[in-house]
Amino acid sequence: MGRSPCCDESGLKKGPWTPEEDQKLMKYIQKNGHGSWRALPKLAGLNRCGKSCRLRWTNYLRPDIKRGKFSQEEEQTILNLHSILGNKWSAIAGHLPGRTDNEIKNFWNTHLKKKLIQMGFDPMTHRPRTDIFSSLPHLLALVNLKELLDHGSSHQSCWDEQALRLQAEASQMARLQYLQCLLQPNNNSFGAATPNNLNDFIDMETFNLLNSLCSSQLDIQDPTAQYPVGDFQPVVQDNSVPFSHLPDLQTYPTPPNKDMVNDQAPDQFTALSQGENSPNNPWNIPSSSNTTLSPTSVAPPMTVTETSVSNNLGDACSTSSYAGVATSAWSDLLFEDPFFQ
DNA sequence: AAACGCCTCAACCGCTTGTCT
DNA sequence: CAGACAAGCGGTTGAGGCGTT
């Protein structure tokens, strides 16, 4: 495959666009369409390469571009889609009308990625990190605690608050680690939903997504749940969602997987094309006519039942509702947890 | 007020993919 | 089938804005 000549041909302007250049480009495209990007600069009277013109148009001048801050719903959609698609910015942008891939990529790199890291999640896998750096926030909290102790009893209320926070975090960390252990592909205690013995039904990507979703769910705390790790007790926060209020697992189909083929899992992809709030689209992923899901492999809808999930998660998730909590779990983690504001 | 550091995001770079000859 | 070209895509860069010292 040959490579297109780069824009570094001598004489062509680079760098920020001037309002005059913008005007020229807009007028030309509105009148003639962009046609061949390579030919466009000459025809439009611009001393730029075609690539630069295309980028300026698609990322900035296009009339349907939405400007301003990302809404909470958009953030949530990006997180959900990123857990499925990874760094496929254009595919993600296809589900966010008016947003460009570049904008989403920047937003991810400057905001969402940092948030996940801060929370101890691997931004690429959306799973809790197990390396030493993931413990850093907690180590820092311990340092703060020691400082408080050093300051003596005049900071008693502050100390109490800090201790409660640490207890809550420790409890959550323990449960995260426990569930992650259960979800390890080689751990048979989660027999019903590992790729090893479900590989006829579910591919690795779907497994990772489920893993991510299940980890997320841990922040929604069930006051009645019994946790198997030590003496840690769940600390119910004001923003916790009672499990009884969550939808039943059976009402939710398999999370959408980019490798699924329409005719193998029609409901999921009908849902994507129907858009948010569709009864078939519980993940609330906005629709797009631009994004195509590549039919490279086939993964029929997974048949994880409430029973199989609750049996295998055992006490860690003592009630039902598994996949359906994905979006609410993320929003709780990212937008309501005072630790990460 | 100046210097500094951090953050954001528009723009670029280079690779990949798709299409045409 | 191979090569050339066009367009798309994701990673990276750097100018400018902003807050802090």
Side-chain angles (χ1 to χ4, degrees), chain A residues 72-86 92 95-96 108 112 116 126 209 212-213 216 255-256 281-286 323-331 334-335:
Chain A
Q72 189 167 314
E73 288 72 26
E74 285 176 316
E75 283 196 34
Q76 201 169 298
T77 302
I78 294 169
L79 280 165
N80 290 339
L81 288 168
H82 189 272
S83 73
I84 302 165
L85 301 168
I92 294 171
H95 290 282
L96 290 159
W108 174 267
L112 298 182
L116 289 181
H126 292 243
L209 172 62
S212 165
L213 299 185
S216 310
N281 185 8
W283 301 281
N284 199 31
I285 297 170
V325 302
T327 54
S328 58
W330 272 120
S331 71
L334 290 177
F335 305 114

Side-chain angles (χ1 to χ4, degrees), chain A residues 145-318:
Chain A
L145 178 61
K146 184 177 183 306
E147 282 174 7
L148 284 165
L149 284 168
D150 290 346
H151 280 95
S153 58
S154 61
H155 293 78
Q156 186 62 44
S157 63
C158 210
W159 189 94
D160 289 344
E161 192 183 326
Q162 194 76 0
L164 281 171
R165 282 183 171 201
L166 284 171
Q167 186 197 12
E169 286 205 30
S171 168
Q172 184 163 307
M173 287 293 286
R175 283 177 284 123
L176 282 169
Q177 283 171 11
Y178 176 72
L179 192 59
Q180 198 184 9
C181 171
L182 289 176
L183 283 165
Q184 290 304 311
N186 292 328
N187 188 332
N188 288 331
S189 63
F190 193 65
T194 68
N196 287 342
N197 47 25
L198 256 191
N199 56 10
D200 289 337
F201 303 99
I202 178 174
D203 62 17
M204 195 60 201
E205 209 163 76
T206 308
F207 172 77
N208 284 337
L209 172 62
L210 282 170
N211 194 358
S212 165
L213 299 185
C214 199
S215 301
S216 310
Q217 186 195 356
L218 287 175
D219 206 49
I220 297 178
Q221 291 157 358
D222 177 10
T224 66
Q226 299 298 309
Y227 295 93
V229 182
D231 294 328
F232 292 120
Q233 296 296 317
V235 177
V236 180
Q237 297 168 353
D238 291 338
N239 62 350
S240 63
V241 179
F243 272 38
S244 57
H245 293 173
L246 295 169
D248 285 341
L249 176 66
Q250 290 95 330
T251 63
Y252 286 86
T254 313
N257 185 296
K258 69 171 179 181
D259 289 334
M260 286 180 177
V261 181
N262 277 320
D263 59 359
Q264 295 288 333
D267 287 350
Q268 283 74 27
F269 293 98
T270 308
L272 284 177
S273 60
Q274 284 171 346
E276 60 266 63
N277 304 323
S278 155
N280 288 330
N281 185 8
W283 301 281
N284 199 31
I285 297 170
S287 64
S288 163
S289 54
N290 299 332
T291 304
T292 52
L293 299 159
S294 65
T296 52
S297 66
V298 174
M302 192 179 66
T303 53
V304 177
T305 63
E306 177 184 331
T307 311
S308 71
V309 171
S310 60
N311 280 352
N312 288 290
L313 294 182
D315 289 338
C317 296
S318 65

